[in-house]
Amino acid sequence: YPAADADGGAAQPGSGGAGGGSGGSAGASGAAGSADSGACQPGKVAWVENFGLAFDDEFTALAGYGTDVLASGTHRGNSSLGKHLLPNEGLDDLFVAKLDSQGGALWAKPFGSPGVETIADLAVDGTGNVVVTGTFAHASLNLGAGPLAFDAVTDVFVAKLAGVDGATLWARGVPGAGEQIARAITVNANGDVFIGFDHSEQMNIDGIGLSADIDDIAVVKLGGSNATRVWAVSFGDDKA
């Protein structure tokens, strides 16, 4: 601690989210979790907040930054997070939010389409900005930086939002034939972004070809300032 990242650099402490892919999801109708308020005794609940309306709401990842909490999730139907409304555009839509040291929602950003979207994981960089990755299907998706084209069965997206207000800094897709499913995201001390996902067909990520035998896994490094692909690798065999 600090641990080494994929490039051997120091990873940001506390930058990893509790991704749904690793079993770290928490239902929005339950406790939002205990943040470090600086005054809570060990093992004692500092606060509990309940969010959501009549339909399915779900937290999929959480990460701390100072005494604040960055959160991502999905909602079906119109919902809310504190005073922030989360309108629904289709089936399962997305949100990213920031909570203060007492669980109050500082901001919440909804994203959706007529299709289906999920957020797999989030991470926070050294300046408090948040990066998220997930999967979308059946329709293009706009995460605040223009529409991301839908090319296959399911595609992967990556986005970076400003920690201060949730404004979209950049967003991009990782398109390819067949099925891609986002699994995890992290950042290093330089702010570079690493995403991991499954893919079922051959892909080309900004000039780098990735082969696939049935279901393979891929890791891609993106520049933190502009999401430019730095490298991409794929692993797998001919078994599912």
Side-chain angles (χ1 to χ4, degrees), residues 2 15 31 34 42 54 57 94 125 147 175 182-183 188 192 202-203 213 216 230 235:
S15 62
S34 177
D57 304 296
L94 314 173
D125 69 15
R183 297 298 185 186
N188 66 10
D192 299 319
Q202 294 183 353
M203 299 180 63
D213 295 305
D216 284 0
V230 179
F235 308 92

Side-chain angles (χ1 to χ4, degrees), residues 26 30-49 59 62-69 99-103:
S34 177
D36 179 9
S37 65
C40 183
Q41 297 179 3
K44 300 295 184 180
V45 176
W47 51 260
V48 176
E49 287 289 343
F59 280 129
L62 299 170
Y65 182 77
T67 59
D68 297 331
V69 177
L99 311 180
D100 64 22
S101 63
Q102 297 302 309

Side-chain angles (χ1 to χ4, degrees), residues 74-86:
T74 61
H75 64 102
R76 178 171 293 189
N78 295 327
S79 190
S80 66
L81 202 107
K83 65 181 180 180
H84 305 282
L85 298 179
L86 304 175

